[in-house]
């Protein structure tokens, strides 16, 4: 069995709880600016999250919730412009530091760097959103911590397709067996598992009831020495917060038992 070499992180919901108070608020501000009477509630946004990608989510909402609305001009271009406005609101919000990193994220990333592990990001969100979050919530130089930041439209098919993880593995010339992925959602887990990655899930309010069958470990957050995580499925090897030995333990399991959390 080869040694663990890299950790690959999802962003939204995994590094930080960006959806409810970040993306949702930014969408609503862009709607108001555009004179639209759309307003995504916390609950409705939770449903809309089943569609990954902001432009794709807008397209879905338009079709499902406001089918009679005819955007002026080309529909795709109109959605792209609305989404661009949303991205501007989102990056501004994140730069105001309204969304902190989730427990244990900064510690684990620092420990991984100290241990010589390679780091990467595999996310559906727009690259500018990742830059804003990392520079604001992690460290000003933290873009350099990651060998690859794979984001947004860099691949044609978004999660749950494996394309974004495949892209990371190919770019880093890594075999999936020497990596561990971190996700928060069912769609993210599908994406990582289809790329043959062992995957850790940290659930959040929007994803806690989802099916995480196939994950190596399901916990409520990565934890800290003084803030133990709760194990929802799987084996944490006697640890109460996520550290490098636990990452190595999970990577050696490789073919995790079919864990069911539903
Ligand atoms: C989560 C998403 C994203 C964001 C919105 O992605 O589905 O689409 O909600 O981002 P992940 P954009 O968990 O893979 O990071 O509006 O920039 O698409
Ligand atoms: Mg996510």
């Amino acid at each position: 069995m080869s040694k663990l070499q890299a950790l690959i992180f999802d962003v939204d919901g995994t590094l930080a709880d960006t959806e409810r108070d970040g993306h949702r608020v930014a969408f609503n501000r862009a709607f108001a600016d555009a004179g639209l009477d759309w307003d995504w509630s916390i609950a409705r946004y939770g449903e809309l999250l089943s569609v990954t990608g902001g432009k794709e989510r807008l397209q879905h909402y338009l079709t499902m919730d406001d089918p009679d609305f005819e955007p002026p001009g080309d529909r795709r271009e109109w959605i792209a412009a609305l989404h661009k406005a949303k991205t501007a609101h989102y990056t501004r919000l994140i730069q105001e530091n309204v969304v902190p990193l989730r427990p244990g994220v900064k510690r684990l990333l620092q420990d991984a760097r100290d241990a010589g592990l390679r780091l990467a990001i595999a996310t559906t969100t727009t690259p500018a959103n990742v830059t804003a979050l990392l520079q604001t919530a992690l460290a000003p130089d933290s873009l350099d911590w990651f060998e690859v930041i794979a984001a947004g439209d860099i691949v044609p098919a978004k999660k749950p397709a494996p394309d974004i993880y495949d892209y990371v593995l190919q770019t880093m010339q890594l075999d999936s067996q020497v990596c561990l992925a971190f996700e928060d959602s069912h769609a993210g887990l599908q994406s990582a598992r289809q790329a043959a990655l062992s995957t850790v899930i940290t659930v959040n309010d929007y994803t806690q009831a989802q099916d995480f069958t196939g994950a190596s470990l399901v916990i409520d957050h990565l934890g800290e020495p003084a803030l133990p995580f709760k194990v929802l499925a799987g084996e944490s090897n006697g640890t109460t917060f996520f550290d490098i030995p636990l990452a190595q333990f999970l990577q050696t399991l490789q073919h995790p038992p079919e864990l069911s959390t539903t």
Side-chain angles (χ1 to χ4, degrees):
M1 167 61 61
S2 311
K3 264 178 53 195
L4 178 68
Q5 290 185 37
L7 306 183
I8 311 173
F9 290 84
D10 168 50
V11 174
D12 295 305
T14 300
L15 296 185
D17 276 325
T18 49
E19 295 292 5
R20 193 191 68 181
D21 300 331
H23 289 293
R24 186 185 68 89
V25 172
F27 277 115
N28 285 335
R29 288 185 181 176
F31 300 157
D33 287 352
L36 295 161
D37 64 356
W38 301 349
D39 184 31
W40 289 354
S41 68
I42 291 172
R44 181 71 184 117
Y45 191 66
E47 294 162 1
L48 292 169
L49 282 173
S50 64
V51 179
T52 59
K55 292 188 287 293
E56 294 80 356
R57 195 167 298 140
L58 286 169
Q59 171 68 57
H60 171 81
Y61 179 78
L62 195 53
T63 310
M64 300 303 290
D65 289 46
D66 204 351
D68 296 333
F69 178 75
E70 275 303 327
D74 180 80
R75 198 180 173 95
R76 272 177 81 96
E77 282 174 17
W78 184 84
I79 287 176
L82 185 59
H83 185 254
K84 197 172 167 198
K86 174 261 169 177
T87 299
H89 277 295
Y90 179 81
T91 52
R92 211 171 305 133
L93 258 173
I94 292 298
Q95 282 157 0
E96 287 165 12
N97 228 336
V98 296
V99 184
L101 295 178
R102 297 191 65 191
V105 167
K106 187 168 190 174
R107 174 189 52 73
L108 179 61
L109 288 169
Q110 285 169 330
D111 287 355
R113 273 161 62 77
D114 292 345
L117 291 177
R118 298 165 70 185
L119 296 174
I121 281 185
T123 175
T124 297
T125 204
T126 301
N129 299 347
V130 185
T131 302
L133 182 71
L134 294 181
Q135 289 181 335
T136 307
L138 185 56
D141 70 338
S142 58
L143 292 184
D144 298 339
W145 297 16
F146 299 90
E147 204 173 312
V148 176
I149 297 181
D153 298 325
I154 199 165
V155 289
K158 292 189 172 157
K159 298 174 187 176
D163 302 31
I164 198 81
Y165 280 103
D166 286 339
Y167 176 90
V168 167
L169 293 173
Q170 274 166 22
T171 307
M172 294 172 84
Q173 303 249 292
L174 278 171
D175 189 298
S176 63
Q177 304 235 326
V178 295
C179 304
L180 192 61
F182 293 79
E183 276 285 354
D184 70 300
S185 69
H186 176 73
L189 175 64
Q190 298 313 304
S191 175
R193 292 295 288 150
Q194 288 183 80
L197 286 156
S198 294
T199 307
V200 176
I201 298 290
T202 50
V203 301
N204 55 55
D205 285 352
Y206 274 135
T207 66
Q208 59 190 349
Q210 294 179 355
D211 179 9
F212 293 118
T213 304
S216 297
L217 179 69
V218 184
I219 46 185
D220 56 350
H221 52 70
L222 292 175
E224 295 282 14
L227 182 70
F229 56 48
K230 198 188 293 169
V231 177
L232 305 173
E235 172 53 59
S236 73
N237 204 24
T239 313
T240 59
F241 62 96
F242 204 101
D243 57 8
I244 302 302
L246 178 54
Q248 287 162 336
F249 167 75
L250 294 172
Q251 183 252 339
T252 58
L253 292 182
Q254 271 312 310
H255 296 291
E258 291 293 288
L259 303 174
S260 181
T261 57
T262 52

